Amino acid sequence: MQTIRTVDELRAALGGHRRAGRTIGLVPTMGALHEGHLALVRAARAEADVVVLSLFVNPTQFDDAGDLAAYPRDEGRDAELAEGADVDLLFAPAVAEVYPTGFATTVSVGGVSGRLEGAHRPGHFDGVALVVTKLFGMVRPDVAWFGQKDAQQVAVVRRVVADLDLGVRIETVPTVREPDGLALSSRNVRLGAADRIRGLALRHGLDAVVARLAAGESDAVAAAEAGRAVMRGEGVEPEYLEVVDPDTFEPVGRTEGRPVLVVVAAPVGPVRLIDNELVEPPR
Ligand code: PAF
């Protein structure tokens, strides 16, 4: 595996592959790699000839300076894991390489960016859309892989790719979970023992909604309220727990047999956790 810091080096490393017609796959990450990222790499490895993993803690997507400062960083460990997963190129640019002096462009996605994560983390999706657009311009991948855990992020990325004709196929990989159901997240390492247990409230809240919808409850608002009550019973106040349309993230009132996404976010101790589950209600 080659570690690359600059766009010039990246272009040099990928030019020959591109000319030879090889498929270039990108797994964008902010490091602190875990099994969820490795599942993305495995999916990329199975399909792309050349796998690039980007490692960049993107400052423009953090709405909270404390969260950015506390974001776990260990490039040595990440590089070992990436190499073990058979990544070809580790692209780990400095902030000044991505946002050089004079940088003045923004990317803002309307519609799907406005609710839920977008409303609770102002500017977050603008930062994600900007850095993903930059990474796609720098790596010029054929395909990029994202985790289903960040479902709204995936919808935002799909919108940018379609609207700006970026020509990158977006693939998703199911959320990887701990054996007890907690969704893997780079932020989980900051959970103390008691908060680690409280973090399961998100999973239990989702389970309660999914069970109701799967049993034929078509009132999505009532199902979501039952999920919020489960979370509160476990001492966790949801920022939101809603049943939404999987493409637009608009709230769903009645399921009427359509596939819906149940999405949840809550602060747990020092971190904010998110999770989601796709449900196909019975017709
Ligand atoms: O999901 C993430 O880790 C980040 O939001 C991403 C897509 C790498 C952009 O910084």
Side-chain angles (χ1 to χ4, degrees):
M1 185 182 78
Q2 200 182 342
T3 298
I4 287 181
R5 307 268 171 208
T6 68
V7 178
D8 285 349
E9 285 176 88
L10 186 65
R11 294 255 157 87
L14 290 175
H17 292 301
R18 209 179 315 277
R19 282 189 294 280
R22 297 193 186 106
T23 313
I24 296 171
L26 172 65
V27 178
T29 82
M30 298 205 298
L33 300 184
H34 52 63
E35 214 20 72
H37 297 109
L38 299 182
L40 299 179
V41 173
R42 278 194 290 276
R45 190 69 282 170
E47 196 178 327
D49 299 316
V50 184
V51 175
V52 181
L53 183 136
S54 63
L55 194 170
F56 179 64
V57 182
N58 173 36
T60 64
Q61 72 186 75
F62 285 81
D63 53 324
D64 171 355
D67 190 25
L68 172 61
Y71 202 83
R73 292 167 170 87
D74 186 345
E75 189 183 313
R77 177 184 169 277
D78 288 341
E80 268 177 35
L81 287 170
E83 181 145 38
D86 210 10
V87 164
D88 298 301
L89 299 182
L90 178 70
F91 178 47
V95 172
E97 182 70 12
V98 179
Y99 302 118
T101 306
F103 190 91
T105 298
T106 54
V107 179
S108 191
V109 181
V112 69
S113 276
R115 304 192 64 247
L116 305 170
E117 286 304 286
H120 284 89
R121 303 183 66 190
H124 169 65
F125 284 133
D126 288 0
V128 170
L130 176 62
V131 81
V132 168
T133 305
K134 288 275 304 185
L135 289 167
F136 286 179
M138 293 186 282
V139 178
R140 294 172 47 211
D142 300 290
V143 195
W145 279 265
F146 293 83
Q148 172 64 24
K149 185 180 144 268
D150 295 299
Q152 198 176 358
Q153 166 171 280
V154 175
V156 169
V157 169
R158 287 191 195 282
R159 190 74 263 158
V160 180
V161 168
D163 289 355
L164 300 184
D165 300 308
L166 298 183
V168 179
R169 176 154 59 83
I170 303 302
E171 292 289 345
T172 56
V173 168
T175 303
V176 179
R177 299 178 180 283
E178 300 280 7
D180 61 8
L182 185 74
L184 294 195
S185 162
S186 301
R187 291 183 171 86
N188 290 357
V189 295
R190 293 173 54 210
L191 289 172
D195 287 332
R196 169 67 184 75
I197 293 169
R198 289 174 65 239
L200 286 175
L202 280 83
R203 178 68 259 176
H204 298 154
L206 284 179
D207 285 346
V209 183
V210 171
R212 276 171 176 72
L213 298 179
E217 168 69 89
S218 61
D219 182 344
V221 176
E225 185 46 49
R228 288 193 288 272
V230 166
M231 291 179 67
R232 288 186 187 118
E234 297 185 19
V236 172
E237 182 58 35
E239 269 179 10
Y240 60 77
L241 192 169
E242 276 192 29
V243 179
V244 300
D245 178 285
D247 299 318
T248 63
F249 282 73
E250 288 299 321
V252 168
R254 302 193 71 78
T255 58
E256 280 150 9
R258 289 172 292 164
V260 291
L261 192 68
V262 191
V263 287
V264 63
V268 178
V271 299
R272 188 175 171 278
L273 299 177
I274 62 171
D275 202 348
N276 67 80
E277 195 75 48
L278 192 65
V279 192
E280 303 250 4
R283 282 174 187 277

